[in-house]
Amino acid sequence: MPQSPIRKLVPFAEDAKNRGIKVFHLNIGQPDIKTPQIALDAVKNNDLDIIAYGRSEGSDTYRSKISSYYARNDIQVAKEDIIVTTGGSEALFFTFGSIMDGGDEVIIPEPFYANYNGFSTASGVKVVPVISKIENNFALPPIEAFEKLITEKTRAILICNPGNPTGYLYSKEEIEKLSEIVKKHDLFIVADEVYREFTYDGREHYSIMQVKGLEEHAIMIDSVSKRYSMCGARIGCIVSKNKAVISTALKFAQARLSPPTYAQIASEAALDTPQEYFDDVIEEYVARRNTLIEKLQEIDGVTVGTPKGAFYCIAELPVDNADDFAQWLLEEFEYNGQTVMVAPAAGFYATPGLGKNQVRIAYVLNEDDLISSVKILKEALIQYNSA
Ligand SMILES: Cc1ncc(COP(=O)(O)O)c(C=O)c1O
């Protein structure tokens, strides 16, 4: 199993903290946004006598309410098209297991969410990367690049929209282009849409589930983790109109019995979160993004585009090896008793050698901390490159 590139530097960060250094975490996607009160209250104010097993596919009431939430987002699915999972992570696991056998291939635009490597390895599936480039702000690679990679073993294309780690939001046209090759080659398209709410500058998210005629091919992965800042609830879901996919995924769901009871109660209540909550959150992320990108672009030798969604960006740094640099930041560097932790981007690529001078930065810290973090990064680069 591959190590998580996001978590592998944790021991170095712990050592730095034990030495009394403050570490700003730009490396993880744990939002500092408050969970909606309505979700917290639902757990506090319920009268369960027994925390019993629930239905393997998730509670009836929760699945019905999720389908209404999707209907409000112009996605027409019934509760029978939904399986509640223990986070988007388990949804990905079940999906890989349901649509692929050992030795099958999945094409994924890289850089991609690093845990896709772990899910593939665990399922014996081979990841075939197709390169998206920082010069194009990580737009969809040309369709011919996908077609060249399709073999008789290819079962699926997996996209993350909006993207972690790129912050790229696929346009309707890009989704439609992808849909065409998926249909032409009779593949599945798995769309990880856990950041669907996080789109900026008036852009709208276009879901794979909105494409007409793609019903048998489309599988959506979703999660409450980021949407409601409920990462520890561990609730997600698989959504597909393909009955064979859902009935196979249900067998995986039965093997693990049921998703967590209290977390489903919280997630169901969270669906009533008022729109103002999201308006405020989006406003906050846009302000953070603008500050972060502006400050990063002021540093000599740093290349970074403006993300259109999610809360990450990939930045190219003037260093040869971002892994070494990230470790050095924690082991050897400090600026006024402070340092930063970044995620080296090589772990988000499957092609060896790519992303070596890139890092992923998450803007889940408040603006003041982001400003301090970029200042520290700037000083660090000066010191690192003059050593
Ligand atoms: C793109 C993407 N997919 C899936 C997940 C899994 O999230 P969870 O299991 O918390 O729902 C994450 C978490 O960071 C993610 O960034």
Side-chain angles (χ1 to χ4, degrees):
M1 283 292 283
Q3 224 180 0
S4 159
I6 307 162
R7 291 176 176 248
K8 72 179 180 187
L9 292 171
V10 168
F12 298 104
E14 288 310 309
D15 284 352
K17 286 177 200 167
N18 290 338
R19 296 197 308 276
I21 293 172
K22 178 171 171 57
V23 179
F24 288 103
H25 284 272
L26 299 174
N27 60 312
I28 41 167
Q30 167 61 59
D32 62 345
I33 304 283
K34 193 177 175 314
T35 303
Q37 194 58 38
I38 202 167
L40 299 171
D41 287 346
V43 174
K44 281 183 202 145
N45 306 330
N46 72 81
D47 54 5
L48 277 188
D49 289 324
I50 304 174
I51 306 173
Y53 288 126
R55 303 253 313 255
S56 297
E57 58 270 57
S59 88
D60 240 23
T61 52
Y62 181 39
R63 282 156 62 238
S64 300
K65 248 174 112 170
I66 306 177
S67 78
S68 312
Y69 154 82
Y70 287 131
R72 293 198 294 279
N73 286 277
D74 206 18
I75 295 171
Q76 310 309 326
V77 287
K79 72 172 194 294
E80 291 75 19
D81 305 324
I82 300 169
I83 293 184
V84 179
T85 54
T86 307
S89 306
E90 193 182 65
L92 284 156
F93 244 130
F94 289 179
T95 301
F96 273 55
S98 299
I99 63 173
M100 291 183 275
D101 289 318
D104 285 345
E105 296 175 358
V106 55
I107 300 176
I108 316 181
E110 65 178 351
F112 54 76
Y113 175 53
N115 282 336
Y116 296 159
N117 277 325
F119 302 133
S120 308
T121 305
S123 312
V125 166
K126 183 174 166 208
V127 170
V128 177
V130 52
I131 301 169
S132 68
K133 297 199 174 127
I134 196 164
E135 300 89 273
N136 306 329
N137 211 3
F138 301 106
L140 188 76
I143 287 304
E144 305 79 63
F146 282 89
E147 289 215 283
K148 270 193 211 143
L149 298 172
I150 294 174
T151 71
E152 72 219 14
K153 293 195 168 156
T154 311
R155 292 288 165 270
I157 295 174
L158 168 59
I159 58 164
C160 183
N161 188 33
N164 171 9
T166 61
Y168 190 76
L169 178 72
Y170 291 116
S171 65
K172 185 174 180 205
E173 290 68 38
E174 286 174 314
I175 295 292
E176 282 171 349
K177 271 192 205 162
L178 264 180
S179 305
E180 285 311 309
I181 49 165
V182 162
K183 278 194 282 185
K184 182 171 156 198
H185 296 276
D186 194 16
L187 305 174
F188 287 108
I189 176 133
V190 182
D192 181 339
E193 300 188 359
V194 305
Y195 296 97
R196 176 173 340 99
E197 251 78 12
F198 303 93
T199 64
Y200 310 132
D201 312 319
R203 290 187 181 85
E204 285 211 1
H205 181 260
Y206 186 67
S207 170
I208 201 71
M209 301 303 291
Q210 288 171 279
V211 184
K212 299 270 174 304
L214 203 65
E215 291 78 7
E216 291 303 304
H217 303 265
I219 303 169
M220 175 171 67
I221 304 298
D222 209 348
S223 167
V224 304
S225 290
K226 317 290 161 147
R227 180 168 310 137
Y228 307 110
S229 198
M230 283 173 55
C231 294
R234 311 308 306 130
I235 291 287
C237 61
I238 302 177
V239 185
S240 180
K241 294 193 95 59
N242 181 315
K243 301 247 177 285
V245 168
I246 289 295
S247 68
T248 309
L250 180 58
K251 294 179 200 164
F252 284 87
Q254 287 168 345
R256 66 78 166 104
L257 305 179
S258 63
T261 304
Y262 269 116
Q264 280 186 94
I265 292 172
S267 303
E268 187 173 329
L271 286 164
D272 291 326
T273 304
Q275 184 54 38
E276 300 84 72
Y277 173 90
F278 296 106
D279 295 343
D280 290 349
V281 171
I282 297 297
E283 199 183 319
E284 177 67 27
Y285 278 121
V286 168
R288 291 175 181 191
R289 176 201 65 174
N290 293 349
T291 302
L292 174 73
I293 301 301
E294 186 192 311
K295 298 282 168 207
L296 282 173
Q297 285 176 340
E298 281 169 16
I299 305 178
D300 267 355
V302 171
T303 305
V304 62
T306 302
K308 301 172 179 177
F311 34 70
Y312 307 96
C313 65
I314 291 275
E316 204 157 271
L317 304 182
V319 298
D320 291 338
N321 186 321
D323 270 284
D324 292 347
F325 176 63
Q327 192 169 329
W328 175 86
L329 280 170
L330 296 168
E331 266 193 317
E332 295 181 42
F333 177 77
E334 61 157 297
Y335 178 70
N336 296 337
Q338 301 177 330
T339 192
V340 290
M341 186 169 178
V342 291
F348 297 90
Y349 287 84
T351 305
L354 286 187
K356 270 188 95 168
N357 59 349
Q358 298 175 355
V359 293
R360 185 193 74 169
I361 294 178
Y363 41 101
V364 289
L365 305 180
N366 67 50
E367 268 188 276
D368 287 343
D369 285 353
L370 280 176
I371 292 171
S372 304
S373 304
V374 180
K375 171 95 183 117
I376 294 166
L377 188 64
K378 184 176 175 179
E379 293 300 327
L381 284 167
I382 294 170
Q383 202 172 310
Y384 191 72
N385 286 328
S386 62

